[in-house]
Structure formats: structure tokens, C-alpha cells
Amino acid sequence: MVNLHTLNPQQRLAAETIRGPVLILAGAGTGKTRVITFRIAHMVERGVAPGNILGVTFTNKAAREMQERVTRLLPKSKVQGGKSKADKENRPTICTFHSLCVRILRQHIEKLGYKKSFVIYDQSEQLAAVKKILSAISAKGEKTDPGAVLGMLSKFKNGGENSAVFGDPSVRALAQHIAKRYESALHACNAVDFDDLILLTLRLFREHPDALEACRAKYRYVMVDEYQDTNAAQFELVHALTKEHRNFCVVGDDDQSIYGWRGAEIANLLNLEQHFPEVKIVKLEQNYRSTTTILNAANAIIKNNVRRRGKSLWSSNGAGTKIQLQTYTNDEDEAREVVGQIDFKRLAHRIPWKECAILFRTNQQARPIETELRKAGVKYHLIGGQSFFDRREIKDFLAYTKTFLNPDDDISLLRIANVPARGLSDVTMERLLGASHERGCSVFAAMKNPLVTTSFLTNTRKSIEEFVEFVERTQNEIKIAMSDLRLATWAENFLNEAGYFAELTRLEKNPEVSEARIRNLKELMTTMDGDGNQPTERLENFLENVTLDSDREEDKENTADAVTLITMHSCKGLEFPHVFIVGLEDGLLPHTRSKVEGTLDEERRLFYVAVTRAMTTLAITHCSGRKKYGQLLPCQPSPFLKELPEELVEHSDSKTKAPVAPESTKNLFAAMREAAAQE
């Protein structure tokens, strides 16, 4: 039996209210994950079929954690743990918005003209598609930032066409033109991007009501975590699923809404009563994470935002130490002193590096900190850096090797068919994909079928035939090669002959970037000649090991004793015993853009989120000067610092230099010697 007595009164009320619309206002550190999992377990215990429960989160990590907790709470007779389809059907569905849409689209996307084996493009692949479009439509010498175009496309696709920026008819026409070519480019590769996952699901619901009814019948009880982060499309999705049965529970905190810049609508949470007038609101305000001092500071900061649902965090953890506020001459001094304090904590107080985190507003602030950490020999983990295996050139190379091993792998073949350009345009590949869909065969099989290729113009037909010959010839070279063939040498020669290195150099305007991409490829190639006798066997093992190694590296980073470096936007949902918030200066936080865009409230929420990550100690630093392009420019303290109650703060530059007792000094050095001896 699920023991709800372990919850506090408000948590228990939230867990027991299982029918009708519910809003659980969960402040930072108030145990919302515990409440969600107990609520799901309680629903099952009260007779709700596990397969009818849907829990939606924003990260795979959160989804996995919830799934594991629910499984532990319920006996196996209630929630099966097997891997068969029947077992999976008898478990609650706990996943991200994108995972939910993938599940739905894998069943129904053929109704929209795609194959079920569609591939999902990440940002690097999206940028590559945009670059190809821009190279085709831009005037000679015209330079357009593909990242900015991709951002515009995302806003346009998510309903931003109604915003002021698209009010200009010429801008709107350009957005429509690029969006159409972009959609065609992706469709040609049987690909969708992350925006498409939700937008195609909404289109499916609009055009095929039977698919919507099937989803409503399955997901009779819907919970959405981090509801303040939902955008217009996500809101429409969950509203479509729940507006009939109205068993809709949202969990969130408007004070932690910090993603407005990427489309999050805080109004979805603030105006919930407009769509569900009968909604029951439960507030979770008891914080289990932080000291009273830290929480009182956070409450004082956030109350300056007028448009919010009132709540006040409290804790029984005790007052703790005051917040340290420190001023430095420049960002290099700031970095050196913060690293020194972290190292001192470790040596003098046996505090592991992994219990410390350095939070900053922008990624550029990480450079001097990383430099000082390296100098001091302090291990660290920078969260948010691009994975090696997510780089475009690495994905291209892996797609090539997969195609040579299995040309019927549509996803890999469609990725590299026209990379570098070889006369196989998006329109051509879209027609070939359609032909393969009609015949129930792979794209490569369609390319080899004369009944398909004779419908193309002579030049295009020749390009198709040359590509087929190229793939089969390379396949044959690998199969008949002697066992002493070095795959690293073969791969470098092949990429040279295929013109891929030249293509990288041509596409990148910055020579250093193209050189770095080529260097990445050559580094990966050195790992190709591992286990196995024959080249084909070694190539198969290489591809398998790439996946295993990347997973292992990720696990290693998560468990290592290392200081965490992280932006304020990335830190939500995390907690650390000892937190350093650096660069609290006007222009960084609040950011200069916020004054122009009118997003000061969101910047204050960002500060609130950063403060509430701290469990035991919190230090906030700012500089009187910060280097930009090698020049030291003057800085002013953030106006948010004035919102911190003076009685909660200790200024490092105003401390009285009281003499240290000899016994304290003796104990301190003894502790440091003991820690050093264990290194």
C-alpha cells in the first residue's frame, strides 16, 4: 500500500486529488517529484489502469527518475516491469513532450505522408539544411547567419508568424519561402526536427480525428510537470488530449519561468482558470533543500515581481550561514578567488569538488573560470557543451560508414546522399523516398530500380546511377580488402576522394572552424582499427563501440568528483550544497537585452532560480571591471543585489579582521594535512 502519511499535509492533498483539473504550485525544493510519483502510485492503487496514465516532463532524466520511483512504489502485480509490448502497455507512460509525440507519430505518421522510420534532426543537422538553402537563394557575397534563420524558422513554425517581427510583409514572405524549402529538404530525408514533432502531432489531431480519439482513450489521466515552461504548441497538445475528460494535473512554479526567450508562455500557468474554471489549486511551500537564510533572500527577491501567484518558501533546516557578497577588481581576480575558495573548502573542510557549483549568466563567463580551475588542478564539468558525437562532421562520417555496411539504412543514406553535392537535390530525394514508400522497399533499392529511375531527367538519372555505383564499389572494397587494411587510412582516403574534406572547407567561412572539424574526424579515425580481423568486422565493432563509449563518457561525467560549471538557464532542477553565483553585474544580470525587450521580470526569476539551487552556503560575486575583447571595461553591480535584505548578507570587503584563536589554527592545519595525505 502507498503510504501517503510520509507526505506533509499539502503534498498529501495534492497526491489524493486525482480527478478533475488540479494545479500543484510547487516552489523550489518542495518535493514535487515525490508528490508526482506518489500521486501516480495512489491513482493505480485506487483502480486507475496504469496504461491510462500519462506523465509529461521536459527532460529524459526527469522521466527516467519518475518511472523508477513509481515502479518502486507499486508491487509488480500492479505495474509490470517486463520488456514485452503487453508489459509496456500495462505501465504508466512517463516521457517528454517530444517522446510522447514520437510515440504517437510512429503509429500514425504515414497518414501525413512520411515513413514510420523517420529520423529526428538535431540542431547541427538543422543548421546544415539551412546553410544549403541559403547557399541556393542568397545573392553572391551576401552573408546570412544560419543560426538566426533557424531561430526565425522555429518562431515562425510555433505560431510566431503572428508576432510583430513578421508584421513586415517582406519578412513574412521570406519566412514562408524559407520554411517551405526547409520543410521540403527535411521531408526529402524522411526527417523531422524537434518543432515538427509537436506540430505534426497537432496536424494529425486536426486532420485525423480518429487518431486524436485513440490518444484520448488511452491517456485518460494526464499530468504535466514544469507547466510554466510550456509553449503555445505544447499547451494546444495537452489541451486537445484533456479538454473532454478534464483529468488534467499540472505541476509548476511561475517564479521559475525562465524560458520565455524560447517560447515558454508563463500565461499558460497564470491563466489556467480561463480554460479550467473548476481547477483546484494546491500550494507546496515547505522547502527541504535550503537554509532559512537562503530562502528568505529568495522570497525577498521574487516578491518584486508583480505578475505572479503568491507563495512564500519556508524551511525547518535552520538559519545557516549568511550569504557572502564579494567584489573583485576584474573577472580574472574573481575566477582566481572563487577557485581558491573551492580548493580551501576541499582541503580544510573535506568538501568534495562535486558538492560545489559555479553559476553564471552567459557561457562567455566560463573562460577565465576554466583557466583558473586548470591552473589549480581542480577537476570540473562544464554542463551544456556540445557532445563530440553530436558534431555534424562526426554524424556525417558515421552515416557514411553505416551506409557502406547497410545501404538499406534509409536514415544514414538520406543524410549523405548529396553530401557533398552530387546532383541529388532535395526534390530528387523526396521523389525517391516517395517511390520507396509506394513499393515498400528501401530508398537504395528504389535507386537501383529502372522502373523508378527512368522517370527522372537524364542528368539526374546519371547522378543516381553514379551514387549507387559509388556505394557498391566502396562496399566491395571493404569486403575484399586484406585483413592488414588500416581502416583509418582507408577512411581518410575515401573522404578525400569523395570531396568531403573540401566540402567542409568550402562551407565554413572561418578556416579555423573547418580545420577543427577535419581534426575531429581524424581523431575519430584513429580509433577504427580495434577488435576484429576482417575490415568489415572491425567497422561493425567500431560503430558499436562509438555508442558504448559515448554513453560511458556521459556516465563518467555524472559520477566524477568535479566542480560543476553551469549557466543559470541550465541549472533549474539541480541542487548543490555550495553555490557560487558569479558576475552579478548590470548588463549581465539583468542582461542588457532585457531592458529593450521588457523582460526584467524573467531576469529576476533567473536570479531567484540561481539562489534556490544552494543548499548550505551561497556566495555571490561581482566585478568593478570585466575584460571584453582584451580591454577592461567598467561594470556596475546588478540592481538585484539591492533586493537582498542587508541582515542576510555578509560583505567580504567589510569583514573585521578578528584574530584567529591558536587552537582553531592548529585544528585547521591538522585537517588540511590529513586531507592532503589522502590525495
Side-chain angles (χ1 to χ4, degrees), residues 174-360:
L174 176 64
Q176 287 173 331
H177 178 66
I178 294 177
K180 188 174 181 180
R181 294 188 71 138
Y182 176 78
E183 183 182 348
S184 174
L186 265 64
H187 201 167
C189 295
N190 197 36
V192 299
D193 65 20
F194 279 92
D195 292 329
D196 290 332
L197 290 172
I198 294 178
L199 298 177
L200 286 173
T201 304
L202 290 174
R203 183 181 144 201
L204 176 74
F205 286 172
R206 285 192 297 269
E207 296 177 7
H208 302 275
D210 56 322
L212 173 58
E213 285 307 315
C215 292
R216 282 178 178 166
K218 178 170 176 55
Y219 304 124
R220 296 178 182 273
Y221 294 83
V222 178
M223 297 181 69
V224 181
D225 190 19
E226 302 285 9
Y227 191 64
Q228 77 281 348
D229 294 336
T230 53
N231 60 28
Q234 290 161 341
F235 168 79
E236 188 180 343
L237 178 71
V238 294
H239 192 66
L241 289 173
T242 60
K243 66 182 178 183
E244 296 297 326
H245 58 63
R246 304 185 82 74
N247 294 319
F248 183 39
C249 174
V250 302
V251 186
D253 180 9
D254 51 308
D255 290 337
Q256 296 186 72
S257 178
I258 58 173
Y259 299 125
W261 50 277
R262 68 182 187 198
E265 296 274 2
I266 192 173
N268 290 348
L269 190 147
L270 293 176
N271 302 337
L272 190 64
E273 289 91 339
Q274 291 180 13
H275 307 280
F276 296 91
E278 73 275 34
V279 65
K280 182 168 185 175
I281 300 173
V282 182
K283 291 184 184 181
L284 305 182
E285 296 172 296
Q286 182 176 358
N287 176 286
Y288 293 92
R289 173 188 299 158
S290 308
T291 64
T292 300
T293 296
I294 292 168
L295 294 180
N296 287 346
N299 290 331
I301 293 162
I302 203 63
K303 74 177 183 183
N304 291 286
N305 278 0
V306 177
R307 190 167 175 253
R308 61 184 287 262
R309 290 183 182 266
K311 70 189 80 65
S312 185
L313 299 180
W314 62 275
S315 169
S316 58
N317 291 343
T321 59
K322 287 189 176 184
I323 296 168
Q324 298 298 308
L325 184 59
Q326 298 155 335
T327 309
Y328 297 105
T329 305
N330 55 54
D331 47 344
E332 290 176 352
D333 286 350
E334 177 187 53
R336 185 167 53 253
E337 290 299 318
V338 167
V339 171
Q341 289 177 44
I342 289 172
D343 216 18
F344 180 79
K345 284 177 182 290
R346 183 169 184 261
L347 289 171
H349 302 295
R350 310 287 295 278
I351 293 171
W353 286 328
K354 66 182 177 184
E355 291 188 5
C356 300
I358 302 173
L359 277 53
F360 37 82

Side-chain angles (χ1 to χ4, degrees), residues 41 44-50 74-80 90-92:
V44 174
E45 197 171 67
R46 293 292 298 270
V48 175
L74 287 168
K76 287 185 179 178
S77 59
K78 291 282 187 182
V79 180
Q80 298 298 322
N90 198 35
R91 283 188 292 182

Side-chain angles (χ1 to χ4, degrees), residues 290-472:
S290 308
T291 64
T292 300
T293 296
I294 292 168
L295 294 180
N296 287 346
N299 290 331
I301 293 162
I302 203 63
K303 74 177 183 183
N304 291 286
N305 278 0
V306 177
R307 190 167 175 253
R308 61 184 287 262
R309 290 183 182 266
K311 70 189 80 65
S312 185
L313 299 180
W314 62 275
S315 169
S316 58
N317 291 343
T321 59
K322 287 189 176 184
I323 296 168
Q324 298 298 308
L325 184 59
Q326 298 155 335
T327 309
Y328 297 105
T329 305
N330 55 54
D331 47 344
E332 290 176 352
D333 286 350
E334 177 187 53
R336 185 167 53 253
E337 290 299 318
V338 167
V339 171
Q341 289 177 44
I342 289 172
D343 216 18
F344 180 79
K345 284 177 182 290
R346 183 169 184 261
L347 289 171
H349 302 295
R350 310 287 295 278
I351 293 171
W353 286 328
K354 66 182 177 184
E355 291 188 5
C356 300
I358 302 173
L359 277 53
F360 37 82
R361 174 65 174 83
T362 67
N363 279 307
Q364 288 88 336
Q365 291 171 257
R367 187 201 57 77
I369 298 168
E370 284 193 80
T371 300
E372 291 302 326
L373 287 165
R374 287 172 183 267
K375 279 184 190 175
V378 176
K379 293 179 183 176
Y380 67 92
H381 173 40
L382 178 62
I383 293 181
Q386 186 185 33
S387 165
F388 179 80
F389 295 98
D390 285 339
R391 299 179 190 277
R392 185 183 80 234
E393 66 275 15
I394 301 300
K395 287 193 165 189
D396 284 347
F397 177 65
L398 295 176
Y400 263 118
T401 56
K402 289 175 184 176
T403 300
F404 297 144
L405 284 175
N406 175 23
D408 293 325
D409 175 356
D410 282 357
I411 292 172
S412 297
L413 182 140
L414 288 167
R415 181 181 179 91
I416 52 86
N418 205 39
V419 179
R422 49 172 66 90
L424 299 173
S425 68
D426 291 337
V427 173
T428 298
M429 297 312 296
E430 193 164 354
R431 283 181 61 188
L432 287 167
L433 183 65
S436 74
H437 189 64
E438 288 170 12
R439 288 165 172 74
C441 66
S442 70
V443 173
F444 191 69
M447 295 174 97
K448 294 174 68 176
N449 188 335
L451 295 176
V452 174
T453 56
T454 50
S455 65
F456 289 89
L457 294 174
T458 304
N459 286 343
T460 304
R461 186 166 66 248
K462 185 180 177 184
S463 296
I464 295 170
E465 290 168 353
E466 286 176 350
F467 178 73
V468 169
E469 191 272 332
F470 158 68
V471 171
E472 291 183 334

Side-chain angles (χ1 to χ4, degrees), residues 76-96:
K76 287 185 179 178
S77 59
K78 291 282 187 182
V79 180
Q80 298 298 322
K83 294 184 178 180
S84 70
K85 186 176 179 182
D87 287 336
K88 289 178 180 178
E89 288 295 315
N90 198 35
R91 283 188 292 182
T93 300
I94 303 176
C95 60
T96 64

Side-chain angles (χ1 to χ4, degrees), residues 6 108 171 177 212 214 233 289 327 342 374 418 423 466 530 537 551-552 559 575 581 606 625 644:
T6 60
H108 303 286
V171 174
H177 178 66
L212 173 58
R289 173 188 299 158
T327 309
I342 289 172
R374 287 172 183 267
N418 205 39
E466 286 176 350
E537 184 184 359
D551 289 345
R552 198 177 297 126
T559 58
E575 61 184 30
I581 303 175
L606 191 56
L644 291 168

